[in-house]
Amino acid sequence: MLQSFPPLIAEGAHTLILGNMPGVASLRAHRYYAHPRNAFWRITGEIFGFDPAAPYDDRVAALTDAGVTVWDVLRACRRVGSLDAAVEPESMVANDFGPLFASHPTIVHVCFNGAAAEKNYRRLVPVDPALRYSRLPSTSPAHTAPFAAKLGTWREALTA
């Protein structure tokens, strides 16, 4: 079973960005969005004004200082490779979102980094009607939409 990471979070967080499950490169590095072709840090750096090539801890601090939390829908699963489509559905174990939302009531917006994150969240986690939900185009290199299109959609959702 693969295991995910704890959330990147700070007091006053207002937005939660959820991936599905870290990929192979991220699991090896024990860092969110570690694959060099994943556009997550480039997109969030552009939106929040930090260097996407800065040291990981500096990027995390910039993002959490901006009120953004990063986590994954799945706490554990079985999967060969990095593709969301390769996750064995019967192996999926969701993170426990209740304590996160209870200890951070300022979170009002949940953004899904791709369709798999949204699909699995809605299947495994009770949806809170008081929260706003947005599905964003995946930052994965497997999702081949142009960078400018991804950036525009992410910017609109994260700055609204």
Side-chain angles (χ1 to χ4, degrees), residues 37 83 108 125:
R37 289 185 30 233
L83 294 178
V108 295
V125 180

Side-chain angles (χ1 to χ4, degrees), residues 7 9-14 16 69 71 96-108 128:
I9 193 163
E11 289 304 315
H14 52 75
L16 170 61
T69 297
W71 208 15
D96 189 356
F97 288 90
L100 179 98
F101 291 131
S103 62
H104 298 279
T106 53
I107 295 175
V108 295
D128 182 342

